[in-house]
Amino acid sequence: MNSKPAREGQLIGPGDTIVTGPGSEAIYVIGQDAFLQRESSTISFGADAAQNLMRVVTGKILSVFGKGPRAIQVATATIGIRGTGCYIEDEGTGAKARTYFCLCYGSVELTPSAAPQERESYSTTHHDKPMYIHNDMKMPKMMVPAGIINHSDDELKLLESLVGRWPPFYGQGGPRY
């Protein structure tokens, strides 16, 4: 974290950058938000806590967020969310950059950097609209449908449990056994 090895129980907050190496992952909580950061990923959090900004520099992250607006910046888009679970795979920068985005549940305003006029606002309840967001101006649309990849409901349950919640697709009372 911040160019130094992290240790269990270390506090993470505004202005921090978390980097995972090959074959590693990190699970952490910041306030009412919880994260599962996959290998070879770099995530930065805005220095001003009031901004609620997360920047996915590169890599893969599954996140669950408490109430209130948050902003996520990826190579290909700006993502505004509320009370959301989402999974992101950012493939980096460049003219052919591509980002996978699954709004697992919640609400989003998704604005592709290369085509802000394609902005979409929508809500989902259970992985209803995964997308690839492109940065390739030769494509007819910057946002195209995708399938569900590389994240699971069990991981969402784990993250939500770390902040005392259940994913909303279970309803108010948690899972029914």
Side-chain angles (χ1 to χ4, degrees):
M1 183 171 87
N2 301 326
S3 301
K4 297 177 186 166
R7 52 186 198 289
E8 189 174 334
Q10 184 172 0
L11 294 178
I12 300 170
D16 287 339
T17 297
I18 293 80
V19 178
T20 50
S24 67
E25 68 180 20
I27 297 174
Y28 50 95
V29 173
I30 301 173
Q32 286 298 302
D33 305 336
F35 307 91
L36 189 162
Q37 184 171 324
R38 308 269 193 221
E39 71 176 341
S40 303
S41 299
T42 301
I43 311 297
S44 293
F45 293 92
D48 180 0
Q51 287 180 324
N52 289 318
L53 176 67
M54 179 176 97
R55 185 168 164 249
V56 180
V57 179
T58 189
K60 305 169 186 174
I61 189 162
L62 180 65
S63 310
V64 298
F65 298 94
K67 293 181 181 182
R70 307 287 194 285
I72 302 171
Q73 185 69 50
V74 296
T76 60
T78 300
I79 304 166
I81 56 172
R82 283 185 186 278
T84 300
C86 66
Y87 181 69
I88 295 169
E89 289 193 9
D90 196 278
E91 297 176 1
T93 60
K96 302 235 180 195
R98 179 173 86 160
T99 303
Y100 173 84
F101 175 73
C102 179
L103 179 66
C104 306
Y105 45 84
S107 298
V108 67
E109 182 172 288
L110 185 56
T111 307
S113 302
Q117 69 278 9
E118 290 183 29
R119 178 179 60 220
E120 283 191 39
S121 295
Y122 58 93
S123 296
T124 69
T125 57
H126 196 213
H127 313 285
D128 302 322
K129 193 174 179 176
M131 312 272 284
Y132 280 111
I133 310 157
H134 293 269
N135 213 29
D136 185 351
M137 296 306 292
K138 293 179 183 171
M139 295 194 61
K141 289 191 64 74
M142 293 302 119
M143 297 189 296
V144 295
I148 299 167
I149 62 169
N150 300 334
H151 66 292
S152 71
D153 287 348
D154 285 342
E155 291 170 324
L156 288 164
K157 286 187 280 184
L158 167 69
L159 292 179
E160 289 284 15
S161 74
L162 294 174
V163 289
R165 298 185 304 254
W166 284 105
F169 48 82
Y170 279 120
Q172 297 289 29
R176 293 175 189 88
Y177 294 104

